Amino acid sequence: MSPRRLMRSCRLVLVRILLAALSLRAGSAAAEGDATCDRLRAEARSEAAILYAPRLELEVAQAPSVATPSDPTVVARRGPQGRVALALSPIEMLRGRAIERVAAAECARDKIARQLDRVLALGARSGELAAANAELEYLETHLGMIDSLVDDVVARFGRQRATAVEVAELRTRRAALRRRIAELHLTQAELRELGGDVAPARDLDALASAYRGAALRAGSRRSDVRTWSAWRFDVRAGIAAADRADWYAVIVLGYSFGQPWQRAAEERAVRAREREYAG
């Protein structure tokens, strides 16, 4: 093998290695995006699972001496009272659902952010991928024709109807076309890894608008989680034992008087987020 042909072969092998490396990078970037959403959902589920489930509560209470209304002379014996109960909070369950919605909103925001990053990384090269695809398609379509021309001139050279210069020139041109095809494959892979197959630069405004919307929705979901903190609604049922065991049930409904100020603060936060993303 001549040194020139050896160099061409080495160049083609290098191009194939680079193409494989770029494919691996693109796959790892997609896996990273999936991993981020998986992490967000798993963390939210970790918090929500505790809020969804009932709680087992063990209590020891000091029971006061209380006269019964039917017979004031009979007084319940004073002493410690053991209690075992299951408690469930519908408000906490709603908070758990709100936390999972935050994770879904953050996942959507992260996906759009990754697309936006890829478009920004692509920059002014957004139209280069389409041009590379068109040129590559044209060259690959006509490469067979070049091969036929080379075979024909080699056959004519064998019949002494063509010169060695003609054979060498056609082979050189074919090698140049093959190198160009390899370079275009490399360019194509680079641009796709940057995001050239996701969105052209003209869609940048739409993508930025989608990101602003996703970020505002994520903020709104986090606000929903905080809103539930002003309320309390617990249902508790269990067994209390002192002289004898008996069942009991308690329903607790609570409300914080700070909720109006919280709502006003949340409204200010929403307006501030809108101004932040509008700027």
Side-chain angles (χ1 to χ4, degrees):
M1 180 181 293
S2 66
R4 183 177 297 177
R5 293 186 63 187
L6 179 61
M7 288 296 294
R8 286 200 299 267
S9 299
C10 291
R11 189 181 293 110
L12 290 174
V13 170
L14 180 61
V15 168
R16 290 191 179 97
I17 293 174
L18 290 173
L19 287 172
L22 288 170
S23 298
L24 288 175
R25 284 185 62 187
S28 65
E32 183 182 352
D34 293 340
T36 299
C37 286
D38 289 344
R39 175 183 59 79
L40 290 169
R41 292 192 184 100
E43 290 174 350
R45 189 64 180 179
S46 175
E47 293 185 56
I50 300 298
L51 301 175
Y52 288 151
R55 301 185 307 275
L56 177 64
E57 297 181 347
L58 303 177
E59 298 178 354
V60 176
Q62 179 66 29
S65 298
V66 180
T68 61
S70 59
D71 189 355
T73 62
V74 178
V75 179
R77 197 179 75 177
R78 186 169 180 266
Q81 184 184 69
R83 298 177 182 177
V84 180
L86 282 177
L88 186 66
S89 174
I91 295 294
E92 293 297 288
M93 296 173 70
L94 291 173
R95 285 187 66 234
R97 180 57 183 153
I99 289 172
E100 291 194 296
R101 286 176 176 171
V102 169
E106 286 290 350
C107 176
R109 184 196 62 79
D110 181 74
K111 288 181 177 179
I112 297 175
R114 290 180 182 278
Q115 292 180 2
L116 191 58
D117 288 342
R118 293 173 70 182
V119 172
L120 291 174
L122 190 63
R125 303 182 69 186
S126 58
E128 191 174 340
L129 180 60
N133 289 337
E135 184 179 358
L136 187 59
E137 181 182 2
Y138 177 83
L139 292 179
E140 288 181 337
T141 301
H142 292 81
L143 185 60
M145 184 185 303
I146 301 299
D147 289 335
S148 299
L149 289 175
V150 172
D151 293 340
D152 180 66
V153 76
V154 169
R156 288 193 292 113
F157 177 74
R159 297 193 301 270
Q160 297 183 351
R161 293 186 177 179
T163 64
V165 174
E166 292 176 314
V167 174
E169 183 179 357
L170 280 177
R171 284 177 173 172
T172 300
R173 290 183 178 181
R174 182 175 63 179
L177 285 176
R178 287 176 174 172
R179 285 196 302 272
R180 179 57 182 165
I181 288 173
E183 291 170 358
L184 287 171
H185 276 296
L186 181 59
T187 300
Q188 187 183 61
E190 289 176 347
L191 292 172
R192 283 178 176 168
E193 197 275 333
L194 287 174
D197 57 343
V198 175
R202 64 178 177 272
D203 291 339
L204 184 59
D205 289 340
L207 208 53
S209 177
Y211 177 81
R212 286 193 294 268
L216 290 173
R217 282 191 295 273
S220 177
R221 295 301 187 189
R222 286 192 293 270
S223 176
D224 292 342
V225 175
R226 292 190 294 269
T227 300
W228 288 113
S229 61
W231 295 90
R232 182 185 176 191
F233 181 30
D234 293 339
V235 179
R236 185 182 299 110
I239 297 175
D243 294 336
R244 61 187 182 87
D246 199 358
W247 72 275
Y248 74 97
V250 178
I251 297 177
V252 178
L253 177 61
Y255 173 75
S256 172
F257 288 110
Q259 197 266 344
W261 287 271
Q262 181 197 49
R263 183 175 62 247
E266 291 293 342
E267 291 174 355
R268 289 198 304 272
V270 168
R271 291 193 296 269
R273 277 195 300 269
E274 290 175 350
R275 291 196 308 271
E276 180 182 7
Y277 287 107

